[in-house]
Amino acid sequence: MKHYIWKLFTNFVEALSNTHTFHAHFSLLFTIGVTAAATLLASLYHRINPTGTANISLIYILAIILISNHTDKYRYGILAAISSVFFINYLYTYPFHEFNFTMTGYPFTFLVMYFISILTSAATFHEKDQAQRIKEGEKLLMEAEKEKLRANLLRAVSHDLRTPLTSMIGASSSYLDNESFLPAEDKRELVTQIYEDANWLLHMVENLLSITRITEGGTNVLKKSPEAVEEILFDAISTVKKRYPDLQVHVRIPDEFLVAPMDPLLIKQVILNLLENSYYHAHSIKPVECVLDNGEDHILIHVRDFGNGIPPEKLDSIFDAAPSAPTSAADTRKGMGIGLSICKAIINAHGGEIRAQNHPDGAEFYFTLPKEDKP
């Protein structure tokens, strides 16, 4: 029995000495350190209570559990168990400082500690394996979502760019071909049309740049900082009113001063997109409402219009960036898919949610921002 244990011990030491990876070195050092700490603690306890060998065994069992939970191979827990048996036998069992494996009940002690290490290691590695699988599944899901977003954006960009570009080409061609015959009013109308379409294309480029900031290098990269949500909201409203002077917006904010971690430029882009969407597609008969609400662990921003509403069949897919049949002349010139899909990508990257719904007098978009970063 003694020869078998010693051979097993030397085999483990030899196997460990041939390991060259960083994790293996860390695991070996961790095993040695925890075993040494357990031995020191057991020695102090033995001085206080020389007859408490059973409690010393518990100290080493705790060390075995710690080693099994923080190392990446079964061998370290087994090595710690075998070492513990030797230490207990040599240091804390009479006759002291001598090996004696013939004592009654000692083989049972060895087997108990050995199987404890095996079972603890198995449970630990099973848990680690499950966690790794879950992590890999989440990564694959994230990659699938990114691929879906890219495909939808490509379709939406090809759809949304074609119409304003065709319009700009047609208007500029008409101006150049008929410049000497067109009255000043018609010339101004053509130039205004070109200006509006060029402005729309600029906004599309801003949206696409926003997406590149989110998925820079293939991972979500957000430059978050604590920001006053009220200031971002008013900044977005001020910008959109410069672009569309006839857009009327009413704002309601709570008395509390609300702060949330965010990328301010991206959140401003979300609000701009939602307001712009209301301007082009809702045909609101009343001023658009922007409402800031204070939730328990998140902040809500509502953009509510009083116009046509959203067709019920589009509510579930309105953020998917898939081009659909236009419902009006404005929709023909200004597709809304890409802007809303980018809103969804930005809010998801912040850990929030964005939704669309109808109310009796129109449509409402709202999104949430967590008050604190989620780990």
Side-chain angles (χ1 to χ4, degrees):
M1 179 70 177
K2 181 178 178 181
H3 176 73
Y4 172 76
I5 294 173
W6 180 254
K7 184 178 179 181
L8 187 62
F9 177 77
T10 55
N11 286 340
F12 273 115
V13 172
E14 183 179 356
L16 290 172
S17 64
N18 293 329
T19 305
H20 299 288
T21 63
F22 171 79
H23 292 293
H25 283 102
F26 170 80
S27 297
L28 179 58
L29 292 174
F30 185 82
T31 301
I32 294 172
V34 172
T35 304
T39 302
L40 178 61
L41 183 60
S43 298
L44 293 174
Y45 181 80
H46 185 66
R47 286 179 177 272
I48 299 172
N49 183 14
T51 61
T53 306
N55 292 331
I56 289 176
S57 298
L58 294 177
I59 294 174
Y60 279 103
I61 288 174
L62 177 61
I64 293 169
I65 293 173
L66 287 174
I67 290 169
S68 297
N69 274 280
H70 291 84
T71 54
D72 58 353
K73 298 291 183 183
Y74 283 94
R75 64 179 68 152
Y76 301 106
I78 297 172
L79 176 62
I82 296 173
S83 302
S84 300
V85 172
F86 276 92
F87 286 137
I88 293 173
N89 184 278
Y90 186 80
L91 296 175
Y92 312 114
T93 305
Y94 184 84
F96 301 118
H97 305 294
E98 292 182 17
F99 288 112
N100 184 1
F101 291 96
T102 61
M103 296 176 57
T104 303
Y106 205 81
F108 177 76
T109 301
F110 168 76
L111 289 174
V112 168
M113 296 192 70
Y114 182 81
F115 281 111
I116 284 175
S117 67
I118 291 290
L119 294 174
T120 303
S121 297
T124 302
F125 286 116
H126 177 72
E127 182 180 342
K128 288 181 180 178
D129 183 63
Q130 289 292 101
Q132 183 65 25
R133 291 181 181 220
I134 292 173
K135 185 177 180 180
E136 290 176 357
E138 290 176 348
K139 185 177 179 180
L140 290 174
L141 183 61
M142 185 180 298
E143 289 299 322
E145 286 292 329
K146 288 180 181 178
E147 287 301 322
K148 180 182 177 182
L149 178 61
R150 290 189 190 103
N152 286 340
L153 284 175
L154 182 60
R155 289 197 299 270
V157 166
S158 62
H159 175 269
D160 287 355
L161 285 179
R162 188 184 301 114
T163 300
L165 284 174
T166 302
S167 176
M168 291 171 65
I169 293 171
S172 58
S173 177
S174 297
Y175 188 95
L176 293 172
D177 292 342
N178 303 287
E179 181 179 2
S180 57
F181 306 104
L182 289 173
E185 184 179 346
D186 291 344
K187 290 180 179 180
R188 182 174 181 82
E189 183 179 348
L190 289 172
V191 172
T192 299
Q193 182 179 334
I194 294 172
Y195 171 80
E196 290 179 352
D197 287 327
N199 212 21
W200 174 256
L201 293 177
L202 175 63
H203 300 162
M204 287 192 64
V205 172
E206 291 174 351
N207 277 323
L208 293 175
L209 289 175
S210 297
I211 281 295
T212 62
R213 292 185 63 194
I214 297 175
T215 57
E216 199 173 85
T219 57
N220 285 348
V221 180
L222 291 180
K223 298 178 181 179
K224 288 186 182 181
S225 59
E227 301 286 344
V229 185
E230 177 183 331
E231 293 181 4
I232 306 300
L233 178 61
F234 279 111
D235 186 22
I237 293 172
S238 175
T239 300
V240 81
K241 285 184 70 65
K242 290 177 182 176
R243 295 178 181 176
Y244 313 109
D246 55 333
L247 174 63
Q248 299 297 314
V249 182
H250 285 177
V251 182
R252 293 209 316 262
I253 59 174
D255 295 331
E256 303 96 327
F257 185 72
L258 302 180
V259 176
M262 69 176 78
D263 185 319
L265 293 178
L266 292 179
I267 296 303
K268 177 182 176 181
Q269 189 66 43
V270 171
I271 300 171
L272 284 174
N273 286 352
L274 295 180
L275 288 171
E276 192 173 72
N277 183 73
S278 296
Y279 177 79
Y280 278 113
H281 303 288
H283 308 292
S284 185
I285 59 176
K286 297 180 181 178
V288 175
E289 290 185 354
C290 281
V291 182
L292 182 60
D293 281 339
N294 184 18
E296 183 176 349
D297 57 357
H298 58 267
I299 296 169
L300 294 93
I301 298 179
H302 305 257
V303 176
R304 187 179 299 122
D305 62 59
F306 299 86
N308 298 332
I310 304 169
E313 65 273 10
K314 290 186 178 181
L315 281 173
D316 294 333
S317 60
I318 197 167
F319 295 102
D320 291 342
S324 56
T327 57
S328 68
D331 288 344
T332 302
R333 295 187 63 229
K334 315 292 186 195
M336 64 180 175
I338 187 171
L340 293 180
S341 68
I342 289 171
C343 290
K344 180 181 179 181
I346 292 173
I347 297 304
N348 286 348
H350 280 78
E353 294 183 351
I354 186 167
R355 295 282 186 271
Q357 65 184 19
N358 287 317
H359 62 86
D361 299 317
E364 176 182 350
F365 292 86
Y366 64 94
F367 63 89
T368 65
L369 288 174
K371 292 182 178 179
E372 296 181 359
D373 278 324
K374 297 179 181 178

